[in-house]
């Protein structure tokens, strides 16, 4: 366990710089809660941007402590270390859950098999500074306490819903089973569950007058995807460490993802007596399938930090039955289990290699490199134009380092933007999964500054805005990362484009950075050419 902790903490410290852009949305909201007393993305706009009020409150507590000891500048690193410890906690608690299912301790090889797999599933969201590990830790602690016939487990299950709302399916199923089997009284169950969820509901209603996040509403309008596309994304992203796939790899991934689902379904049909005796593992498996069905049915745009919410319960259920079902019938259960272990082991080894010499071997390198670029540019703009308003469609890293007003072209933090969505495909944007900037919103909002990669500004690129804006083109990567890029392109973009309204003085620091790093001449910055 100490060796495992050391490896996990090291991975987080070295790779947290390649985090998700969405992590910094939560960071900005938490900072505003501490600095201004309101959990709003823009302090003067009442809007529930975060989908995880529990995570925002948790981050705000950490930010308050970091501010008190003057470590705010290292906030992301602090969260990465905390996430590493939380992830270790998840590995430990679900191992204990499995041991309770089996009514014996796992052997060292069995622990290695199980813990390697769930660690690999958790690693990307955890290093990416998201809330998934903490949500699953609360849910796991709740399940552990219920298995020990402690009613307080319902409180933790209820709390987990305000970290990841998908866990309502697992919590509801476990509550129903526990009550149906007479293990807990209905009144006590409701009391504990209410005690866990009510403070968060009061928090949301007090600050937002609603419990429904704006991002949920915005994504349903902005993104234009079909259930089949979501299903393909499930196949692409569900195996540890593989967030994308070409067609041949997709077939392989489909096989190895669907195999455990088919096998678990076979167990449910074939081993009815065993299911009746050990229904908790079955509940975990069913909840995983329900989450998957809800994603596909609602044609959700899937992200890597969603994956453990169904894969961890699925793997826990599969592993439990692989050792509950007597041999030789359990052989068919162990095939997908060992396959997932091999994928997981390869991913962990490649991640260790990434911190040694090749950061581009890390799965999040490309997406994380753009976040680093956003943070760098946002910091310069914040120093030079603190009173300006800035339009973008990715509001995480940029919105964290630039502390002024952000106009969100994708509508997550700007209600008015949804008036101009959904954007037509392919006339206004190339893909329904792109939260692009509508040109009409640019006209309506008249931003001082616009920052975007090409993929999110396709309609804007087709318009002539030279009468109102100067354009500064920056490389897609920071110098420290571009050396690891094959062609300098990031998601099809060669540049990060910064449009500055002509009423503002041109940014000296951005011009100097552009001229020092870009092979393309920036006409607006010609006065800075020596």
């Amino acid at each position: 366990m100490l060796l495992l902790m050391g490896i996990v903490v090291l991975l987080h410290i070295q790779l947290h710089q390649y985090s998700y852009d969405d992590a910094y949305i939560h960071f900005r909201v938490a900072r505003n809660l501490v600095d201004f007393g309101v959990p709003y993305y823009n302090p003067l706009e009442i809007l529930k941007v975060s989908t995880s009020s529990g995570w925002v409150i948790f981050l705000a507590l950490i930010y308050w402590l970091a501010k008190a000891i003057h470590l705010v500048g290292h906030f992301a690193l602090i969260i990465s270390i905390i996430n590493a410890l939380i992830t270790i906690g998840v590995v430990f608690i679900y191992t204990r859950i499995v041991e309770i299912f089996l009514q014996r301790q796992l052997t060292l090889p069995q622990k290695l098999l199980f813990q390697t797999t769930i660690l690999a599933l958790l690693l990307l969201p955890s290093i990416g500074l998201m809330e998934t590990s903490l949500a699953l830790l609360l849910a796991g602690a709740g399940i552990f306490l219920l298995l020990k016939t402690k009613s307080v487990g319902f409180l933790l299950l209820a709390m987990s819903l305000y970290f990841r709302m998908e866990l309502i399916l697992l919590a509801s199923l476990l509550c129903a089973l526990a009550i149906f089997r007479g293990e807990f009284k209905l009144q006590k169950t409701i009391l504990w569950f209410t005690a866990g969820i009510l403070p968060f509901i009061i928090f949301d209603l007090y600050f937002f007058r609603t419990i429904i996040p704006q991002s949920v509403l915005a994504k349903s309008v902005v993104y234009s995807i079909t259930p089949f596309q979501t299903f393909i994304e499930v196949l692409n992203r569900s195996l540890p460490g593989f967030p994308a796939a070409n067609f041949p790899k997709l077939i392989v991934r489909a096989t190895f993802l669907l195999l455990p689902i088919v096998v678990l379904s076979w167990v449910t049909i074939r081993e009815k007596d065993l299911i009746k005796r050990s229904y908790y593992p079955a509940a975990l498996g069913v909840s995983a399938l329900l989450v998957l069905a809800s994603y596909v049915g609602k044609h959700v745009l899937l992200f890597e930090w969603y994956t453990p919410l169904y894969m961890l319960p699925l793997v826990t259920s599969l592993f439990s039955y692989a050792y509950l079902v007597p041999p030789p019938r359990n052989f068919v259960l162990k095939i997908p289990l060992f396959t997932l272990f091999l994928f997981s082991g390869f991913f962990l080894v490649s991640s260790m290699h990434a911190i040694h010499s090749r950061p581009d071997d890390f799965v999040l390198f490309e997406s994380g490199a753009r976040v680093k670029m956003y943070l760098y540019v946002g910091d310069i703009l914040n120093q030079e134009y603190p009173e300006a308003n800035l339009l973008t469609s990715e509001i995480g890293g940029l919105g964290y380092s630039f502390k002024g007003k952000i106009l969100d072209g994708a509508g997550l933090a700007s209600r008015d933007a949804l008036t101009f969505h959904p954007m037509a495909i392919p006339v206004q944007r190339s893909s329904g999964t792109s939260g692009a900037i509508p040109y009409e919103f640019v006209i309506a909002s008249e931003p001082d500054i616009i920052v975007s990669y090409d993929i999110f500004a396709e309609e804007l690129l087709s318009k002539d805005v030279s009468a109102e804006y100067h354009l500064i083109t920056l490389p897609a990567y920071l110098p420290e990362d571009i050396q690891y890029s094959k062609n300098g392109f990031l998601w099809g973009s060669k540049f990060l484009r910064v449009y500055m309204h002509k009423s503002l003085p041109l940014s000296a620091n951005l011009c100097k950075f552009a001229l020092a790093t870009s092979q393309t001449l920036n006409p607006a910055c010609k006065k800075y050419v020596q």
Side-chain angles (χ1 to χ4, degrees):
M1 184 59 73
L2 289 173
L3 176 63
L4 183 65
M5 287 180 65
I7 292 173
V8 173
V9 171
L10 179 63
L11 285 169
H12 280 71
I13 291 174
Q14 293 295 325
L15 296 174
H16 80 278
Q17 58 183 316
Y18 299 106
S19 59
Y20 294 111
D21 189 67
D22 288 57
Y24 286 91
I25 299 177
H26 299 296
F27 286 8
R28 174 168 165 134
V29 174
R31 182 180 64 195
N32 286 344
L33 180 55
V34 174
D35 291 346
F36 301 104
V38 290
Y40 307 146
Y41 184 82
N42 289 312
L44 299 179
E45 298 180 28
I46 302 177
L47 203 62
K48 181 174 166 56
V49 174
S50 173
T51 56
S52 180
S53 293
W55 181 241
V56 166
I57 295 170
F58 177 79
L59 290 175
L61 291 172
I62 304 301
Y63 187 88
W64 178 80
L65 289 171
K67 188 175 181 179
I69 57 178
H70 308 290
L71 288 176
V72 166
H74 301 286
F75 185 63
L77 175 61
I78 293 170
I79 297 302
S80 74
I81 296 172
I82 292 173
N83 254 9
L85 299 177
I86 290 171
T87 297
I88 290 295
V90 176
V91 172
F92 175 77
I93 198 70
Y94 281 87
T95 301
R96 291 290 296 119
I97 288 171
V98 169
E99 289 178 337
I100 293 175
F101 290 162
L102 302 182
Q103 297 181 346
R104 65 174 176 81
Q105 287 190 334
L106 296 177
T107 64
L108 187 60
Q110 289 169 349
K111 284 185 178 180
L112 181 66
L113 176 65
F114 180 65
Q115 294 180 350
T116 299
T117 304
I118 62 173
L119 176 59
L121 289 169
L122 290 165
L123 202 59
L124 288 184
S126 186
I127 291 177
L129 308 181
M130 297 301 288
E131 72 278 11
T132 306
S133 289
L134 185 51
L136 288 169
L137 178 63
L138 288 170
I143 295 169
F144 176 79
L145 290 170
L146 292 183
L147 292 171
K148 294 291 186 178
T149 64
K150 304 291 185 181
S151 299
V152 70
F154 293 115
L155 181 143
L156 295 178
L157 276 174
M159 289 177 63
S160 72
L161 310 187
Y162 258 84
F163 287 80
R164 286 303 314 180
M165 62 182 69
E166 298 94 326
L167 291 173
I168 191 172
L169 296 170
L170 174 62
S172 300
L173 189 58
L174 292 178
C175 289
L177 282 172
I179 294 170
F180 178 75
R181 292 176 64 89
E183 296 176 353
F184 298 92
K185 293 182 178 180
L186 176 61
Q187 185 177 2
K188 184 176 288 188
T189 300
I190 294 174
L191 181 64
W192 279 109
F193 200 87
T194 302
I197 201 171
L198 188 59
F200 297 107
I201 293 177
I202 293 172
F203 176 87
D204 276 356
L205 293 178
Y206 177 79
F207 284 109
F208 307 110
R209 311 293 188 267
T210 181
I211 62 173
I212 301 174
Q214 169 69 11
S215 52
V216 171
L217 301 174
K219 289 176 182 178
S220 66
V221 174
V222 172
Y223 298 122
S224 303
I225 57 178
T226 65
F228 178 74
Q229 288 175 305
T230 300
F231 179 69
I232 294 299
E233 282 301 292
V234 167
L235 300 181
N236 277 339
R237 297 179 184 275
S238 294
L239 295 182
F242 295 88
N246 55 32
F247 184 68
K249 290 182 180 178
L250 177 61
I251 295 175
V252 174
R253 294 174 192 192
T255 301
F256 289 120
L257 174 63
L258 295 176
L259 186 59
I261 294 176
V262 171
V263 167
L264 275 177
S265 300
W266 172 83
V267 169
T268 304
I269 297 171
R270 180 71 180 269
E271 307 288 341
K272 292 181 180 179
D273 292 337
L274 178 62
I275 296 294
K276 290 178 181 179
R277 296 195 306 271
S278 306
Y279 64 92
Y280 269 107
L284 290 173
V286 170
S287 73
L289 298 181
L290 289 175
V291 171
L292 273 174
S294 67
Y295 284 156
V296 175
K298 295 181 179 180
H299 40 92
V300 170
L301 180 63
L302 206 69
F303 297 98
E304 284 93 359
W305 57 90
Y306 295 9
T307 302
L309 299 171
Y310 58 87
M311 283 301 295
L312 192 147
L314 186 70
V315 169
T316 304
S317 179
L318 179 67
F319 185 90
S320 300
Y321 283 123
Y323 291 95
L324 283 170
V325 174
R329 298 201 308 272
N330 64 353
F331 179 75
V332 70
L333 285 160
K334 292 184 178 180
I335 294 175
L337 201 59
F338 280 107
T339 303
L340 289 171
F341 168 75
L342 291 176
F343 274 110
S344 301
F346 176 80
F347 168 55
L348 293 177
V349 170
S350 67
S351 298
M352 289 295 294
H353 182 254
I355 69 174
H356 180 258
S357 58
R358 297 288 305 185
D360 54 319
D361 283 345
F362 185 50
V363 175
L364 299 183
F365 169 75
E366 192 174 54
S367 63
R370 94 187 190 285
V371 179
K372 290 173 65 177
M373 189 67 179
Y374 280 145
L375 288 167
Y376 178 81
V377 171
D379 185 56
I380 291 176
L381 294 174
N382 187 64
Q383 292 177 37
E384 298 186 1
Y385 312 98
E387 302 301 322
N389 58 62
L390 186 154
L391 171 63
T392 186
S393 63
E394 292 201 293
I395 61 173
L398 196 61
Y400 186 71
S401 57
F402 179 79
K403 299 180 182 180
K405 182 176 181 179
I406 296 288
L407 301 170
D408 179 14
L412 276 68
S414 298
R415 268 197 204 94
D416 296 343
L418 294 183
T419 304
F420 309 100
H421 286 282
M423 298 172 68
I425 306 170
V427 178
Q428 295 176 298
R429 56 176 173 165
S430 58
S431 171
T433 61
S434 173
I437 299 174
Y439 178 64
E440 291 86 350
F441 185 57
V442 174
I443 296 174
S445 59
E446 299 181 336
D448 298 319
I449 305 169
I450 307 171
V451 180
S452 181
Y453 283 98
D454 294 356
I455 191 173
F456 303 112
E458 292 172 308
E459 188 182 23
L460 184 61
L461 293 175
S462 68
K463 308 294 182 180
D464 182 10
V465 296
S466 59
E468 294 85 18
Y469 293 92
H470 289 300
L471 172 62
I472 303 175
T473 55
L474 306 175
Y477 294 86
L478 290 173
E480 63 198 64
D481 290 322
I482 198 168
Q483 60 180 312
Y484 299 108
S485 172
K486 294 179 181 178
N487 53 20
F489 280 83
L490 197 158
W491 291 0
S493 300
K494 184 72 173 179
F495 304 107
L496 176 65
R497 300 179 186 270
V498 181
Y499 294 87
M500 305 201 64
H501 199 276
K502 290 186 175 179
S503 62
L504 295 176
L506 208 58
S507 170
N509 288 323
L510 281 184
C511 275
K512 291 174 182 177
F513 176 70
L515 294 170
T517 57
S518 178
Q519 296 179 356
T520 301
L521 180 65
N522 280 271
C525 298
K526 60 184 178 181
K527 69 177 181 179
Y528 295 100
V529 179
Q530 298 297 325

